[in-house]
Amino acid sequence: SLGTSLFSALGRVVVIVDDLDPALAFYRDVLGFSVLYDQAGEGYRYLHLAVPGQEGVGLWLMTATTDRERALVGQQCGGQPLLVLYTTDLDPVSKHLREHGVRVWNEREDADSRSLHFADLYGNVIVAAQLYTAT
């Protein structure tokens, strides 16, 4: 055991996409993420997003540039969840997602939480969870 942590925080989770603008529209306009960083340089666009109030951790949307990366768009976790997002009330989340045409499934309630699965515009699985106990 190290006795102390090697890392101070989780910074970014990379999500491979085929087009940054529709991905930005989904994560910002449908899910409510804020833009942390959006700059172009050396022929590449750097786009980082976050849940408002948690700007220390976020998504880094990266454009697929090779055939191998393009094959992973929407499948980089092999169909397992890419993200788990917490909410204090799952009902308005479910309603909002459905109103925006987002595919929602596997709504369930357990002893300590309620959750549902939904897909981003590429098919990445995201879990929304309302916890009944502290994390």
Side-chain angles (χ1 to χ4, degrees), residues 84-122:
V84 177
L85 299 172
Y86 293 139
T87 181
T88 57
D89 188 352
L90 195 62
D91 292 330
V93 171
S94 177
K95 181 179 178 193
H96 177 83
L97 292 172
R98 292 173 194 284
E99 287 173 349
H100 284 84
V102 176
R103 185 167 61 95
V104 175
W105 71 97
N106 198 28
E107 293 189 67
R108 56 184 291 164
E109 183 160 9
D110 297 306
D112 59 353
S113 67
R114 292 175 58 214
S115 63
L116 59 79
H117 288 64
F118 67 95
D120 74 2
L121 65 163
Y122 299 106

Side-chain angles (χ1 to χ4, degrees), residues 34-93:
S34 59
V35 176
L36 297 177
Y37 188 81
D38 188 355
Q39 296 290 323
E42 301 176 13
Y44 195 81
R45 182 175 170 194
Y46 298 89
L47 181 57
H48 299 188
L49 308 174
V51 172
Q54 290 194 322
E55 286 77 11
V57 63
L59 301 182
W60 181 356
L61 302 182
M62 297 183 81
T63 304
T65 57
T66 66
D67 288 343
R68 183 170 183 258
E69 289 174 359
R70 280 186 282 278
L72 292 173
V73 170
Q75 292 297 318
Q76 69 187 68
C77 291
Q80 295 296 329
L82 174 73
L83 300 170
V84 177
L85 299 172
Y86 293 139
T87 181
T88 57
D89 188 352
L90 195 62
D91 292 330
V93 171

